Amino acid sequence: MSLEQPRVAMLSVHTSPLDQPGTGDAGGMNVYVSELSQALARRGARVEIFTRATSSDQPETALLEGVDAHGAPLTPEGARSVLLAERVEPGVVPPVLVHHVPAGPFEGLAKNDLPGQLCAFTAGVLRAEAGRNEGWYDVVHSHYWLSGHVGWLAADRWDVPLVHTMHTIAAVKNAALAPGDEPEPAGRLIGEQQLVDVADALVASTDDERSALMEHYGADPGRVFVVPPGVDLALFQSESHTRVQLRRLLGLPESGHLVLFAGRIQPLKGPEVLVRALGVLAATGREVPHLVVLGGPSGRPTAVRELQALAETLGVGHRVTVLPPVARTELARWYRAADLVAMPSYNETFGLVAAEAQASGTPVIAAAVGGLRTVVEHGLTGILVDGHDPVVWADRLAELLADDLHRLTLGVEAQRRAERFSWDAAADAMLDVYAYAGSHRGAVAATS
């Protein structure tokens, strides 16, 4: 394998990097796959992403623009020549390809229905490789356990290493279920264990996730690598507009405090904790901030209506606004318009929203769970809250919103420390992981 310019088959079965994060099954993993792939391309890697087709309108292959040696966008002919070249010339950024693989009906399939479509998806991936020169791919990098089982077969068929990123771990999720949430099925637990056993390298986002892989699945510590995700620091940064100006542009109340929740509306993410906390504030005669929820339903189509009904029942319906998710370029402005970004999740492998908000200079109040304990540095870049008691969350919100200087200090430090998370650094580290997996593939196969 070329250690510097590998050809990577990136697998993301259940959600496309082109999907809008914040609704359905689209979230931080979409951003992760897209941003990492483009950062790898900037280092000369040829990356092809395979995802399940969910619409007849999707092209068979979409091309994320690369650039030629002069910095100009690649033409289709130029893109093809770069993909077929033995090496990528200095200054050239290869395009990232996104293949939409037909596997089951376009609509009506929930994530839990997808195990029955893995054979069809795998056939599409293998068929794509069969049209290339022998030995085309150097490494398979799969994301989430469904993709891992496709990657397992593809890597074995092509005799290349399998690198796997879990993104969420079923055993961890089941140990910290939100009220009303369904536990992950035994089939997923078994599937994750199999991947831990066979993958040539496992990628964790934090030390906490690495420890969880070893604790719950007995992962070999020598094959688990911590590669923190990144943040687009050019996008998520401060700007010349004041907070009041941004609120005016976004059609938000210009006075009073504003708390932002950005993510899918589902029990795992805990938006109802914030609504209940607002209810506590109202019942105790304290200031009730305006809560903006940017996100769509995930799992239950009625999730938005249920959240709004809860707010009305608690007497804070007029203080809660639920809006659809927005493009990432617009999301950056929403972060900056808020006094606080809140993440009351029951589990987060990393917490990309927290990292993006802090890079934008907005402090985060988050549950002390999973990767949030790494991303949010308590007392430095934000505040961590133990548990999900609305009374405790109400107290912490009231304390932070009443102390303008404390929030300003947290926001300044959060932005200063945002450079801890860089997609370019993540790509460099991932190339090292690919190289390790390639050089140790024989040893793993011998023990599997």
Side-chain angles (χ1 to χ4, degrees), residues 339-341 354-355 357-359 361-366 372-384 400 406-421:
D339 294 289
L340 289 173
V341 170
Q358 291 179 159
T362 301
V364 173
I365 178 171
L372 290 172
R373 292 176 292 191
T374 297
V375 178
V376 180
E377 297 180 84
H378 182 67
L380 289 176
T381 66
I383 297 296
L384 294 172
L400 272 173
H406 189 197
R407 291 198 317 279
L408 176 61
T409 303
L410 291 173
V412 169
E413 186 63 18
Q415 190 165 44
R416 190 184 73 81
R417 299 176 69 85
E419 294 181 2
R420 293 180 297 152
F421 305 116

Side-chain angles (χ1 to χ4, degrees), residues 347-374:
N347 182 54
E348 289 284 351
T349 303
F350 182 69
L352 192 59
V353 165
E356 292 173 347
Q358 291 179 159
S360 303
T362 301
V364 173
I365 178 171
V369 298
L372 290 172
R373 292 176 292 191
T374 297

